[in-house]
Amino acid sequence: MSRADSDAAGEGMLAYLRARIGRDGPLTVAQYMQICLEHPEHGYWQAADSIGKTGDFVTAPEISQIFGELIGLWCVLVWERMGRPPTLRLIELGPGRGTLMQDALRAARVSPAYLERLSVHLVEASPHLRQVQQRLLAPPSRSDTKPIPMAWHDRLEDAPEGPAIIIANEFLDALPIRQLVRSGGAWHERVVDLDPHGRLRFAIGAAVPDTGSHAPPDGTILDLREGEGALLGALRARSQPLVALFVDYGPADAAYGDTLQAVHRHAYVDPLSAPGLADVTAHAQLAGFAAKARAVGLAADGPITQAQFLGALGVVERASRLMTANARKAHTVEAGVQRLMSPTGMGELFKVLAIRSSTLPSPPPFD
Ligand code: SAH
């Protein structure tokens, strides 16, 4: 098998995980998730197209242009609410194929004053997706338009200081989580190790000190969203003012339960079955994220459902205008909006949360 073939079958990643566990012992779930996503040779982010019909999953901006357009108009309103600062960093975390940003910038042409003050900063871990974004957003410059300055960064901390609007769709779910499992009346680290045949399996690791007063039954799993703490630290350390918009899937309130999941070619698979080939994520829990933000001195609005957010920003009006302007595409526009808004689609599973400097007023539609 050539290197490319063995990578396509996930053999390289499996060999790496076996050697690593053999040498260092079991991995925490956070370490496992991080390796699956970030490994510089065999990690999921190195691989080809993950997002879209031919990839593993489809996201809201790929379903309808209206999603990015409404967020683009929302950014203009937020900039005005910030008091129209003379420079503005528009930062996107995990921009995927760049579609959301493209739609957002097109919609923002209603406000040339906003666009003149803007620089765009894309925080992207995947070298492949970076190239896709560069092709879409920064094509060779045309002389008739003044290009918006655009830069790519590895981490939020690398984006330059200054007043900022930060947008992130389906980003929080990719942050590594740690898991605890209840066993013998105590919490233990949930780990990934090898069975006697060299296959990956979940196991119970070292006991950890009990923190809460609850004593759930043995076998209960608790997700600890530790990556969120680092992200909030980076937001807190930035110069203010800033407003950040997070859209992600997950319940409004979560207690216990294993939300680690893996998706490969639009189907759920066992998170241990295809390391490096499947997208491994965990449900975001935006109410919990809001509470953590407040605890570090930031203000938070929401979460509300995606249907409430898009509805308040005028999704219906925008859709009917697009349908009138292009009758042949009316059906596609309608089907896309239906999928974004419907309670059985993404309308209620996806939630929207704004985090902001406490000196700023709540952004629309939370005001
Ligand atoms: N926002 C896009 C893509 C969502 S998929 C959309 O809505 O279509 C998650 C995106 O986040 C991908 O672009 C992935 O490569 C990127 N990503 C995940 N974790 C990251 C991290 N820690 N740092 C930077 N980018 C990350």
Side-chain angles (χ1 to χ4, degrees), residues 107-324:
R109 285 189 200 149
V110 295
S111 175
Y114 162 83
L115 286 179
E116 266 168 34
R117 286 157 175 81
L118 203 62
S119 63
V120 170
H121 300 271
L122 299 130
V123 177
E124 176 54 66
S126 157
H128 171 74
L129 286 177
R130 238 181 224 222
Q131 280 180 7
V132 174
Q133 294 154 17
Q134 273 159 356
R135 278 199 296 272
L136 191 70
L137 298 171
S141 62
R142 297 203 328 253
S143 52
D144 55 335
T145 49
K146 181 168 154 270
I148 297 171
M150 252 182 232
W152 274 261
H153 310 283
D154 290 333
R155 303 174 324 141
L156 174 60
E157 289 87 325
D158 303 331
E161 290 292 350
I165 297 177
I166 298 165
I167 52 181
N169 184 54
E170 290 208 47
F171 176 77
L172 293 177
D173 58 42
L175 299 179
I177 61 160
R178 206 178 136 197
Q179 287 189 318
L180 303 184
V181 56
R182 195 84 183 165
S183 172
W187 287 115
H188 292 70
E189 189 80 38
R190 192 181 194 213
V191 295
V192 177
D193 78 354
L194 300 170
D195 73 9
H197 307 285
R199 287 180 298 233
L200 296 171
R201 67 170 177 198
F202 286 112
I204 296 172
V208 298
D210 231 333
T211 42
S213 52
H214 293 285
D218 273 11
T220 304
I221 289 174
L222 177 63
D223 289 351
L224 299 178
R225 308 206 45 89
E226 295 197 329
E228 291 176 355
L231 176 60
L232 285 170
L235 284 178
R236 189 73 192 89
R238 270 195 72 82
S239 61
Q240 312 288 319
L242 64 81
V243 178
L245 187 75
F246 292 94
V247 185
D248 230 302
Y249 63 89
D253 276 306
Y256 301 115
D258 171 16
T259 74
L260 188 69
Q261 65 179 43
V263 172
H264 186 49
R265 307 232 178 283
H266 302 274
Y268 288 105
V269 297
D270 180 325
L272 300 184
S273 69
L277 299 180
D279 186 36
V280 192
T281 59
H283 284 187
Q285 209 276 307
L286 288 181
F289 191 49
K292 286 187 210 167
R294 292 187 191 107
V296 299
L298 293 161
D301 302 291
I304 57 177
T305 65
Q306 175 166 295
Q308 287 170 320
F309 179 76
L310 297 177
L313 292 183
V315 70
V316 174
E317 294 78 358
R318 177 74 191 135
S320 61
R321 240 187 304 148
L322 274 182
M323 287 158 75
T324 312

